[in-house]
Amino acid sequence: MKTKTVKIGSTLIGGSHFAVFAGPCSIESEKQAFETAEFVKSKGACVIRGGVYKLRTSPNSFQGLGEKAFSIVKKIRSELNIPFVTEVTDPRQIPDLAGVVDAFQVGSRNMHNYELLKELGQTKTPIILKRGFCATVEEWLKAADYLVQGGNEDIIFCERGIRSFETVTRNTFDINAIVYIKQRTEFPIIADPSHGTGISDFVTPVTLAAASAGADGVMVEVHPEPNKALSDGFQALDFENFDQMMTQLKNVLSVFNKKLESV
Ligand code: PEP
Ligand code: MN
Protein backbone atom coordinates (compact mmCIF):
# COMPACT_ATOMS: atom_id res chain seq x y z
CA MET A 1 0.00 0.00 0.00
CA LYS A 2 1.23 3.53 -0.69
CA THR A 3 2.59 5.18 2.45
CA LYS A 4 1.18 8.59 3.41
CA THR A 5 3.65 11.23 4.49
CA VAL A 6 3.64 12.85 7.93
CA LYS A 7 5.35 16.17 8.54
CA ILE A 8 7.29 16.78 11.76
CA GLY A 9 8.25 20.45 11.61
CA SER A 10 9.54 20.67 8.06
CA THR A 11 10.80 17.07 8.02
CA LEU A 12 8.85 14.58 5.90
CA ILE A 13 8.42 11.04 7.20
CA GLY A 14 7.19 8.33 4.84
CA GLY A 15 8.32 9.87 1.59
CA SER A 16 11.15 8.70 -0.62
CA HIS A 17 13.78 9.53 2.02
CA PHE A 18 14.87 7.71 5.18
CA ALA A 19 14.63 9.67 8.45
CA VAL A 20 17.03 9.33 11.36
CA PHE A 21 15.66 10.39 14.75
CA ALA A 22 18.45 10.52 17.33
CA GLY A 23 19.24 11.89 20.77
CA PRO A 24 19.53 10.88 24.37
CA CYS A 25 17.09 8.60 26.17
CA SER A 26 16.66 11.38 28.76
CA ILE A 27 17.56 15.03 28.74
CA GLU A 28 19.95 15.21 31.70
CA SER A 29 21.45 18.69 31.29
CA GLU A 30 21.65 21.45 28.70
CA LYS A 31 25.24 20.52 27.88
CA GLN A 32 24.52 16.79 27.42
CA ALA A 33 21.37 17.31 25.32
CA PHE A 34 22.66 20.22 23.22
CA GLU A 35 26.01 18.61 22.41
CA THR A 36 24.29 15.37 21.44
CA ALA A 37 21.72 17.15 19.26
CA GLU A 38 24.41 19.22 17.56
CA PHE A 39 26.53 16.14 16.84
CA VAL A 40 23.75 13.90 15.51
CA LYS A 41 22.44 16.73 13.33
CA SER A 42 25.93 17.26 11.88
CA LYS A 43 25.97 13.56 10.90
CA GLY A 44 22.54 13.53 9.26
CA ALA A 45 19.81 13.16 11.91
CA CYS A 46 16.68 15.11 10.92
CA VAL A 47 14.67 14.89 14.17
CA ILE A 48 16.01 15.08 17.73
CA ARG A 49 14.57 12.84 20.45
CA GLY A 50 14.97 13.33 24.19
CA GLY A 51 12.96 12.25 27.21
CA VAL A 52 11.50 14.96 29.43
CA TYR A 53 9.07 12.81 31.45
CA LYS A 54 10.36 9.26 31.88
CA LEU A 55 8.29 6.18 32.68
CA ARG A 56 10.75 4.04 34.63
CA THR A 57 10.19 0.54 35.93
CA SER A 58 11.44 1.60 39.38
CA PRO A 59 10.25 4.75 41.18
CA ASN A 60 13.82 5.05 42.47
CA SER A 61 15.23 5.54 38.94
CA PHE A 62 15.69 8.98 37.32
CA GLN A 63 12.23 10.25 36.34
CA GLY A 64 13.32 12.95 33.88
CA LEU A 65 13.79 16.71 34.35
CA GLY A 66 10.12 17.43 33.56
CA GLU A 67 9.34 21.12 32.99
CA LYS A 68 12.93 22.04 33.75
CA ALA A 69 13.84 20.51 30.37
CA PHE A 70 11.47 22.78 28.39
CA SER A 71 14.02 25.59 27.98
CA ILE A 72 16.63 23.07 26.79
CA VAL A 73 14.25 21.72 24.13
CA LYS A 74 13.41 25.26 23.00
CA LYS A 75 17.11 26.13 22.69
CA ILE A 76 17.86 23.00 20.62
CA ARG A 77 14.95 23.67 18.26
CA SER A 78 15.68 27.35 17.75
CA GLU A 79 19.50 27.31 17.64
CA LEU A 80 19.87 24.10 15.61
CA ASN A 81 16.68 24.62 13.59
CA ILE A 82 15.62 20.99 13.89
CA PRO A 83 12.35 19.40 15.07
CA PHE A 84 12.11 17.70 18.46
CA VAL A 85 10.06 14.75 19.69
CA THR A 86 9.44 13.71 23.28
CA GLU A 87 7.21 11.25 25.08
CA VAL A 88 3.95 12.43 26.62
CA THR A 89 3.21 10.22 29.60
CA ASP A 90 0.01 11.82 30.93
CA PRO A 91 -2.86 13.73 29.26
CA ARG A 92 -2.30 16.61 31.71
CA GLN A 93 1.05 17.34 30.05
CA ILE A 94 -0.47 17.88 26.59
CA PRO A 95 -1.29 21.63 26.67
CA ASP A 96 2.15 22.71 27.88
CA LEU A 97 4.17 20.17 25.87
CA ALA A 98 2.32 21.02 22.65
CA GLY A 99 3.96 24.43 22.67
CA VAL A 100 7.43 22.97 23.23
CA VAL A 101 7.82 20.01 20.83
CA ASP A 102 7.03 19.19 17.18
CA ALA A 103 5.72 15.65 17.77
CA PHE A 104 4.55 13.51 20.67
CA GLN A 105 5.79 10.00 21.35
CA VAL A 106 3.42 7.50 22.92
CA GLY A 107 5.66 5.08 24.79
CA SER A 108 5.40 1.31 24.83
CA ARG A 109 3.93 1.34 28.34
CA ASN A 110 1.17 3.72 27.25
CA MET A 111 0.08 2.18 23.96
CA HIS A 112 -2.92 0.73 25.83
CA ASN A 113 -3.72 4.01 27.61
CA TYR A 114 -6.86 4.73 25.62
CA GLU A 115 -7.77 7.92 27.50
CA LEU A 116 -4.34 9.33 26.58
CA LEU A 117 -4.89 8.28 22.95
CA LYS A 118 -8.33 9.92 22.89
CA GLU A 119 -6.84 13.20 24.15
CA LEU A 120 -4.00 13.03 21.62
CA GLY A 121 -6.55 12.41 18.87
CA GLN A 122 -7.93 15.88 19.59
CA THR A 123 -4.54 17.54 18.93
CA LYS A 124 -2.94 18.49 15.63
CA THR A 125 0.49 17.35 16.79
CA PRO A 126 2.01 14.35 14.94
CA ILE A 127 2.22 11.17 17.02
CA ILE A 128 4.94 8.53 17.09
CA LEU A 129 2.99 5.53 18.33
CA LYS A 130 5.30 2.93 19.84
CA ARG A 131 4.23 -0.68 19.97
CA GLY A 132 3.28 -1.99 23.40
CA PHE A 133 5.85 -4.56 24.45
CA CYS A 134 3.13 -7.21 24.74
CA ALA A 135 0.88 -5.93 21.95
CA THR A 136 0.05 -7.77 18.76
CA VAL A 137 0.17 -5.82 15.52
CA GLU A 138 -3.66 -5.86 15.43
CA GLU A 139 -3.86 -4.32 18.92
CA TRP A 140 -1.33 -1.70 17.85
CA LEU A 141 -3.41 -0.83 14.77
CA LYS A 142 -6.52 -0.51 16.97
CA ALA A 143 -4.60 1.87 19.26
CA ALA A 144 -3.94 3.99 16.16
CA ASP A 145 -7.70 3.95 15.40
CA TYR A 146 -8.25 5.89 18.64
CA LEU A 147 -6.09 8.69 17.25
CA VAL A 148 -7.72 8.56 13.81
CA GLN A 149 -11.24 8.63 15.26
CA GLY A 150 -10.31 11.66 17.34
CA GLY A 151 -9.26 13.41 14.12
CA ASN A 152 -5.48 13.05 14.22
CA GLU A 153 -4.15 11.02 11.28
CA ASP A 154 -0.56 12.21 11.54
CA ILE A 155 0.63 8.89 12.90
CA ILE A 156 4.04 7.23 12.61
CA PHE A 157 4.30 3.70 13.95
CA CYS A 158 7.46 2.76 15.83
CA GLU A 159 8.46 -0.89 16.29
CA ARG A 160 10.52 -1.07 19.49
CA GLY A 161 10.63 -4.79 20.18
CA ILE A 162 8.31 -7.09 22.06
CA ARG A 163 8.69 -9.33 25.07
CA SER A 164 9.23 -12.95 24.08
CA PHE A 165 10.64 -16.09 25.70
CA GLU A 166 14.08 -14.88 24.62
CA THR A 167 16.19 -13.19 27.30
CA VAL A 168 19.61 -12.62 25.71
CA THR A 169 18.30 -9.29 24.42
CA ARG A 170 16.12 -6.77 26.31
CA ASN A 171 13.34 -7.26 23.75
CA THR A 172 12.83 -9.18 20.52
CA PHE A 173 12.83 -6.78 17.57
CA ASP A 174 9.99 -7.79 15.23
CA ILE A 175 11.20 -7.15 11.70
CA ASN A 176 7.99 -8.75 10.39
CA ALA A 177 6.02 -5.86 11.85
CA ILE A 178 7.95 -3.41 9.65
CA VAL A 179 7.03 -5.38 6.54
CA TYR A 180 3.41 -5.79 7.68
CA ILE A 181 2.81 -2.11 8.40
CA LYS A 182 4.45 -1.09 5.11
CA GLN A 183 2.50 -3.58 2.99
CA ARG A 184 -0.88 -3.52 4.70
CA THR A 185 -1.34 0.03 6.03
CA GLU A 186 -0.88 3.56 4.70
CA PHE A 187 1.11 4.77 7.70
CA PRO A 188 4.86 5.29 7.89
CA ILE A 189 6.84 3.16 10.32
CA ILE A 190 10.20 3.71 11.97
CA ALA A 191 12.33 1.25 13.94
CA ASP A 192 13.75 1.70 17.42
CA PRO A 193 16.68 -0.75 17.60
CA SER A 194 17.88 0.80 20.90
CA HIS A 195 14.92 -0.51 22.93
CA GLY A 196 14.40 -3.35 20.45
CA THR A 197 17.73 -4.90 21.41
CA GLY A 198 18.89 -3.15 24.60
CA ILE A 199 22.53 -3.64 23.56
CA SER A 200 24.51 -0.81 21.96
CA ASP A 201 26.51 -3.19 19.70
CA PHE A 202 23.27 -4.50 18.20
CA VAL A 203 21.87 -1.10 17.26
CA THR A 204 23.72 -0.65 13.96
CA PRO A 205 23.04 -4.14 12.53
CA VAL A 206 19.33 -3.93 13.43
CA THR A 207 19.15 -0.41 11.97
CA LEU A 208 20.54 -1.76 8.69
CA ALA A 209 18.08 -4.67 8.79
CA ALA A 210 15.13 -2.33 9.38
CA ALA A 211 16.24 -0.05 6.53
CA SER A 212 16.52 -3.10 4.26
CA ALA A 213 13.04 -4.30 5.29
CA GLY A 214 11.56 -0.98 4.15
CA ALA A 215 11.30 1.11 7.33
CA ASP A 216 10.83 4.84 6.78
CA GLY A 217 13.37 5.68 9.45
CA VAL A 218 14.97 4.78 12.74
CA MET A 219 15.04 6.27 16.22
CA VAL A 220 18.29 5.67 18.09
CA GLU A 221 19.56 6.67 21.51
CA VAL A 222 22.88 8.53 21.59
CA HIS A 223 24.82 9.78 24.61
CA PRO A 224 28.18 11.58 24.87
CA GLU A 225 29.24 9.21 27.68
CA PRO A 226 26.91 6.18 27.69
CA ASN A 227 28.43 4.73 30.86
CA LYS A 228 27.37 7.89 32.75
CA ALA A 229 23.82 8.02 31.34
CA LEU A 230 20.95 8.36 33.84
CA SER A 231 18.79 5.99 31.75
CA ASP A 232 19.41 3.29 29.13
CA GLY A 233 23.19 3.85 28.85
CA PHE A 234 23.76 0.17 27.97
CA GLN A 235 21.92 0.63 24.68
CA ALA A 236 23.14 4.13 23.77
CA LEU A 237 25.54 4.77 20.91
CA ASP A 238 28.45 7.11 21.65
CA PHE A 239 29.33 9.76 19.07
CA GLU A 240 31.84 7.57 17.26
CA ASN A 241 29.39 4.61 17.07
CA PHE A 242 26.70 6.95 15.69
CA ASP A 243 29.04 8.32 13.04
CA GLN A 244 29.95 4.76 11.96
CA MET A 245 26.28 3.73 11.91
CA MET A 246 25.42 6.64 9.62
CA THR A 247 28.18 5.72 7.16
CA GLN A 248 26.95 2.12 6.98
CA LEU A 249 23.33 3.23 6.75
CA LYS A 250 24.03 5.48 3.76
CA ASN A 251 25.72 2.53 2.00
CA VAL A 252 22.72 0.26 2.62
CA LEU A 253 20.22 2.95 1.56
CA SER A 254 22.09 3.48 -1.70
CA VAL A 255 21.31 -0.15 -2.63
CA PHE A 256 17.61 0.81 -2.50
CA ASN A 257 18.23 4.16 -4.25
CA LYS A 258 17.22 5.92 -1.06
CA LYS A 259 18.77 8.95 0.59
CA LEU A 260 18.66 10.38 4.09
CA GLU A 261 15.95 12.93 4.83
CA SER A 262 17.55 16.23 5.78
CA VAL A 263 16.28 19.15 7.84
C1 PEP B 1 12.14 5.81 25.14
O1 PEP B 1 12.00 6.04 23.93
O2 PEP B 1 13.06 6.29 25.83
C2 PEP B 1 11.25 4.81 25.77
C3 PEP B 1 10.96 4.85 27.06
O3 PEP B 1 10.80 3.88 24.90
P1 PEP B 1 9.71 2.71 25.07
O4 PEP B 1 8.44 3.40 25.38
O5 PEP B 1 9.75 2.07 23.73
O6 PEP B 1 10.20 1.82 26.17
MN1 MN C 1 15.23 4.85 26.55
Side-chain angles (χ1 to χ4, degrees), residues 69-248:
F70 286 6
S71 61
I72 303 173
V73 176
K74 284 180 184 160
K75 184 179 153 102
I76 290 170
R77 288 175 73 215
S78 64
E79 291 190 17
L80 300 179
N81 203 13
I82 190 164
F84 201 102
V85 53
T86 201
E87 181 172 349
V88 54
T89 61
D90 185 310
R92 290 169 293 186
Q93 295 157 358
I94 295 173
D96 287 346
L97 263 189
V100 177
V101 297
D102 300 279
F104 290 134
Q105 178 174 315
V106 174
S108 189
R109 289 162 187 77
N110 262 330
M111 188 213 84
H112 299 279
N113 184 342
Y114 302 119
E115 294 304 326
L116 175 63
L117 297 176
K118 283 182 201 166
E119 290 290 329
L120 290 172
Q122 304 290 317
T123 72
K124 299 208 177 315
T125 307
I127 310 288
I128 289 121
L129 180 62
K130 286 205 170 195
R131 181 176 181 180
F133 54 78
C134 289
T136 64
V137 170
E138 287 302 331
E139 288 163 348
W140 192 17
L141 293 172
K142 289 194 173 88
D145 284 344
Y146 276 93
L147 298 168
V148 171
Q149 287 188 19
N152 190 342
E153 298 194 15
D154 287 333
I155 302 165
I156 300 160
F157 284 99
C158 178
E159 162 62 35
R160 50 77 72 206
I162 49 176
R163 195 167 269 185
S164 75
F165 57 81
E166 187 51 73
T167 54
V168 294
T169 48
R170 185 181 188 188
N171 290 291
T172 296
F173 185 83
D174 183 7
I175 201 96
N176 298 353
I178 304 275
V179 182
Y180 187 92
I181 298 284
K182 285 299 290 182
Q183 290 196 1
R184 304 278 197 271
T185 88
E186 59 176 352
F187 295 103
I189 179 164
I190 61 170
D192 171 356
S194 304
H195 296 87
T197 68
I199 305 171
S200 59
D201 282 0
F202 286 32
V203 171
T204 294
V206 176
T207 291
L208 304 182
S212 305
D216 297 295
V218 279
M219 176 186 280
V220 295
E221 291 186 341
V222 180
H223 195 285
E225 293 177 283
N227 56 349
K228 295 199 180 140
L230 298 182
S231 61
D232 289 354
F234 44 83
Q235 65 192 31
L237 299 176
D238 64 19
F239 288 6
E240 197 186 332
N241 299 151
F242 182 75
D243 189 12
Q244 289 164 354
M245 184 196 89
M246 293 301 277
T247 303
Q248 293 188 44

